[in-house]
Amino acid sequence: MILIPDVKRKNVGVFGLGVSGIATCEALVASGARVYSFDENREARDKTSDTEYRCEHPKNWPWKEMDFLVVSPGVPLTHPKPHTIVRKARMENVPVIGDTELFARALNKLDKRARPRIVGVTGSNGKSTTTALIGHILKQAGEDVYVGGNIGEAVLSLPAFASDAIYVLELSSFQLDLTETLRLDAAVFLNLSPDHIERHGDVAGYLRSKKRIFTNQTKEDLAVIGVDDDYAQSVCTELMARDAAEVLPVSSGSALGRGVYALDGKFYCNLDGKTLLAGDLENARSLRGPHNWQNAAAAIAVCEKFGVPPALAVKSAQRFEGLSHRLEDVGRNGKVLYINDSKATNADATARALAAFDNIFWIAGGKPKEGGVESLKPMMDRVHSVYLIGEAAAQFEEQLRGSVHCVLCGDLEKAVAAASADALKSDKANPVVLLSPACASYDQFKSFVERGDKFRDLVADLSSTNGEAA
């Protein structure tokens, strides 16, 4: 647990009692704060009944004596409008922060010699894989590494700071909006595609939030930036002009005069004026496709800063097992390969999955996002048929009409059955049934995790029925 300095006997509000909220309450109480907590979900409130931070409605909090408020990253700050709790805090002049800011404040109180090294990773897509991959490579190299934030453990649940440790944090735009003083030894910005517009107002607002990952960096620090999309490329140009930190571009499709890049799965590094081949990930099952090669390039760049030679980093990446719901190989049924990419909740993420395979029987749909799948039409030459589910089914069928054969299935179970039957009887070599929804999950599922787990179970049932090992 990370203890928070300078909060003893202070009054602190915590709104939102998910994993990070509970961890925040526990850390604050252990640090001597008086904690006032609340969650709009009754079940979450009930879990605090026997704790020192038992829930009490915010109308009963001592607002005039409140020192600050910690809110869950999901609480709207500005768009579509500030949450009631945020408006109340601002009215009472109470600062609103997140748990990552508490992590930063604890970090900033350390003597320089006691400070661990901190890595942060953000981007519209790939940040979980990149965060986990950096942690994997550094552990393989013998480092004491802790991974958390928006992936795995909440930041305040991570072990107490140790000077020789490395903390690798996945940071969403929501978390970055609530963080002011975090300084990262290595900050990674992978890419940006229009997403979460309802939260940020527009793409410019979303980009501003992502760029906060570089706030407070110095010339001693490393800024790693993907340059495969126009938004991130503009950030790279801006940071190079600012000259506040060392900037290192990464790419999965273009040769770079300086940086780390991949061409057809082969990785090249130019860090000191000489380009060297670091290795090959073309056949790494857990890092399929150009988007994962960009993730790996970023991981290689970060790990090199901490003393891991690029060639060794590539060898470690070859042993990376990947993450659930991200181009996850969940089994075979005869000649058909099944890939669970439930984490692909927007069209840009799905484009990356479609680029990784041929002969695709694609399952898509759910709660649609702005733009739908119009941008994916040029990729339909890789797709045999599309099996549509959820609220987006009719919209997606209209957008894709004339480009690919569409089947309106309604739910995931029917889609898996139909896609499997068609893939098995097709004459395509190595057909792939790909769940990559390009949609949020919450029309039919509680989360992308539940959706992906359901897909995995359906594949296991098919494999069992047909006598194949999943």
Side-chain angles (χ1 to χ4, degrees):
M1 179 188 294
I2 306 293
L3 296 180
I4 316 303
D6 304 329
V7 297
K8 193 171 184 179
R9 290 188 291 275
K10 288 190 175 181
N11 297 312
V12 182
V14 177
F15 186 86
L17 296 172
V19 172
S20 65
I22 293 295
T24 299
C25 289
E26 295 282 352
L28 286 166
V29 167
S31 303
R34 291 187 287 263
V35 177
Y36 299 84
S37 73
F38 192 73
D39 194 290
E40 292 170 331
N41 180 279
R42 180 173 186 139
E43 185 176 338
R45 296 197 300 270
D46 289 345
K47 291 179 181 178
T48 70
S49 58
D50 295 324
T51 69
E52 294 183 56
Y53 48 89
R54 182 175 179 174
C55 275
E56 185 175 1
H57 197 281
K59 68 182 180 182
N60 298 321
W61 292 2
W63 284 100
K64 300 301 181 186
E65 291 80 42
M66 197 72 71
D67 290 280
F68 57 87
L69 169 68
V70 184
V71 298
S72 163
V75 173
L77 302 178
T78 56
H79 295 84
K81 62 181 181 180
H83 191 281
T84 304
I85 196 74
V86 174
R87 294 201 304 270
K88 175 64 174 176
R90 290 172 178 167
M91 191 187 319
E92 300 289 349
N93 293 315
V94 175
V96 179
I97 63 172
D99 62 334
T100 307
E101 174 60 19
L102 291 179
F103 177 94
R105 292 180 183 184
L107 186 68
N108 295 339
K109 283 290 184 178
L110 296 175
D111 181 83
K112 184 176 182 179
R113 291 169 296 181
R115 189 186 193 276
R117 292 159 289 175
I118 312 295
V119 179
V121 180
T122 198
S124 295
N125 298 295
K127 54 187 178 290
S128 295
T129 295
T130 305
T131 303
L133 181 58
I134 291 169
H136 166 80
I137 294 171
L138 291 173
K139 286 177 183 176
Q140 293 275 306
E143 296 285 357
D144 189 11
V145 183
Y146 304 108
V147 176
N150 201 45
I151 179 178
E153 289 193 68
V155 290
L156 297 179
S157 293
L158 295 173
F161 292 134
S163 61
D164 59 349
I166 303 174
Y167 293 74
V168 187
L169 310 179
E170 178 186 330
L171 299 171
S172 70
S173 58
F174 298 177
Q175 290 168 309
L176 289 167
D177 273 341
L178 292 162
T179 306
E180 295 288 341
T181 66
L182 180 64
R183 179 198 145 207
L184 296 166
D185 297 80
V188 179
F189 182 4
L190 293 165
N191 49 62
L192 189 128
S193 58
D195 201 358
H196 303 302
I197 303 305
E198 73 288 348
R199 169 65 181 260
H200 297 289
D202 54 24
V203 177
Y206 182 36
L207 181 59
R208 279 195 300 273
S209 296
K210 290 293 189 185
K211 285 164 58 177
R212 291 170 65 91
I213 197 166
F214 303 115
T215 303
N216 306 313
Q217 281 200 299
T218 72
K219 288 185 179 293
E220 298 176 5
D221 304 320
L222 177 67
V224 175
I225 310 176
V227 293
D228 292 334
D229 67 87
D230 291 341
Y231 295 112
Q233 172 68 69
S234 70
V235 174
C236 185
T237 302
E238 177 186 335
L239 289 186
M240 284 182 168
R242 190 189 306 168
D243 196 28
E246 179 188 1
V247 178
L248 198 64
V250 297
S251 174
S252 62
S254 300
L256 301 173
R258 183 174 182 275
V260 181
Y261 60 94
L263 297 175
D264 296 325
K266 294 180 174 60
F267 285 78
Y268 301 86
C269 297
N270 188 331
L271 306 176
D272 55 9
K274 182 186 295 184
T275 299
L276 299 173
L277 176 64
D280 190 339
L281 289 177
E282 188 175 8
N283 296 316
R285 292 176 59 190
S286 297
L287 293 168
R288 291 183 172 100
H291 68 294
N292 271 323
W293 298 340
Q294 187 199 55
N295 298 339
I300 292 165
V302 169
C303 293
E304 196 278 338
K305 175 178 174 61
F306 298 130
V308 182
L312 180 59
V314 172
K315 287 184 179 179
S316 295
Q318 291 169 347
R319 298 188 289 272
F320 179 60
E321 293 184 357
L323 297 175
S324 297
H325 314 296
R326 297 158 178 88
L327 287 189
E328 178 190 14
D329 182 338
V330 294
R332 283 189 174 273
N333 180 17
K335 66 179 181 178
V336 182
L337 174 66
Y338 292 82
I339 299 294
N340 169 22
D341 195 41
S342 182
K343 182 64 169 63
T345 58
N346 58 55
D348 190 63
T350 291
R352 295 159 186 264
L354 294 175
F357 301 98
D358 293 303
N359 304 328
I360 300 168
F361 295 75
W362 173 32
I363 299 174
K367 187 79 171 177
K369 294 190 174 180
E370 186 176 352
V373 291
E374 189 74 33
S375 63
L376 301 179
K377 289 172 70 173
M379 305 188 74
M380 290 305 101
D381 60 338
R382 312 178 77 90
V383 178
H384 181 279
S385 297
V386 185
Y387 305 84
L388 297 169
I389 65 174
E391 290 181 14
Q395 175 191 339
F396 284 12
E397 194 274 337
E398 182 177 352
Q399 290 180 326
L400 296 172
R401 190 178 299 152
S403 299
V404 68
H405 176 242
C406 295
V407 183
L408 294 172
C409 296
D411 61 39
L412 185 58
E413 186 169 3
K414 292 176 184 174
V416 170
S420 296
D422 289 350
L424 282 167
K425 69 185 181 185
S426 76
D427 59 0
K428 299 290 185 182
N430 305 313
V432 176
V433 172
L434 170 68
L435 170 67
S436 189
C439 280
S441 60
Y442 48 84
D443 59 336
Q444 295 181 330
F445 300 94
K446 293 179 181 178
S447 66
F448 75 83
V449 173
E450 183 181 73
R451 179 170 61 190
D453 287 344
K454 177 67 173 178
F455 179 73
R456 190 188 295 111
D457 291 344
L458 290 169
V459 172
D461 289 345
L462 279 172
S463 301
S464 174
T465 300
N466 288 281
E468 299 284 347

